[in-house]
Amino acid sequence: MPAIPDTTVELIETGPEHAALIANLYQFYAYESSDWEQEDVEVDGRFYVHEEHLARYWEDPRWSANLLLVDGFIAGFLLIEGSELPGIDALELADLFILKRYRRKGIGRAIATQVLSSGEANWLVRFYDQDEVSQAFWSWLDRDGMPGRLLGCS
């Protein structure tokens, strides 16, 4: 799934032994969204990570925490959850985070296309109205269309 020539992009499902790694990467994600989410750091200088929620990525069979590797280096993560919205049977792309160094190279789109086109499930993509970066990124779904069964994007 090369996003740019001579680049290897991998999405690797993690196990519970990677919880600390995902929690560490989540700090960067929380920092980037802290302005519009109005989040403050805790007394230890880190953003809050709900440990019980994080554990569900390895306990619930419809949830997964995935590492994004570019040429073997950690470049971000993709968190997938079973939708808990009433009446919606879908998997949700809960959080897609790519480190700044790897952005604007087509990597995020390549990962999203791979996952959404897999045919494995109905998919739900949601983001906050205040998240302008996500709005811009996901606008290609409406513009270019997306193969597969996408239930919503908002």
Side-chain angles (χ1 to χ4, degrees), residues 1-136:
M1 172 187 48
I4 52 178
D6 301 320
T7 300
T8 302
V9 179
E10 300 173 86
L11 192 62
I12 308 294
E13 189 169 344
T14 65
E17 68 276 11
H18 297 102
L21 172 58
I22 297 296
N24 287 342
L25 289 171
Y26 195 86
Q27 292 297 307
F28 296 108
Y29 177 78
Y31 168 77
E32 288 197 5
S33 63
S34 65
D35 57 341
W36 52 265
E37 278 203 31
Q38 301 297 301
E39 293 288 331
D40 292 311
V41 295
E42 301 289 310
V43 295
D44 66 357
R46 297 180 330 142
F47 288 95
Y48 176 75
V49 174
H50 190 253
E51 297 296 330
E52 290 81 18
H53 187 86
L54 184 64
R56 266 187 91 179
Y57 290 104
W58 301 285
E59 295 169 354
D60 189 320
R62 290 180 44 111
W63 289 41
S64 65
N66 304 274
L67 276 179
L68 170 57
L69 303 180
V70 174
D71 293 331
F73 294 98
I74 297 171
F77 62 78
L78 172 64
L79 303 179
I80 297 173
E81 301 176 359
S83 175
E84 295 180 342
L85 294 174
I88 296 183
D89 181 28
L91 293 177
E92 182 174 342
L93 291 179
D95 299 297
L96 172 60
F97 175 71
I98 299 173
L99 292 167
K100 285 186 177 184
R101 172 185 172 173
Y102 298 102
R103 293 183 192 166
R104 306 204 51 82
K105 298 180 179 184
I107 294 166
R109 185 174 176 154
I111 289 292
T113 299
Q114 175 194 0
V115 171
L116 294 173
S117 299
S118 68
E120 293 179 23
N122 292 320
W123 287 98
L124 180 64
V125 175
R126 297 188 307 156
F127 50 83
Y128 291 95
D129 290 337
Q130 305 92 327
D131 188 349
E132 295 174 3
V133 173
S134 288
Q135 285 183 11

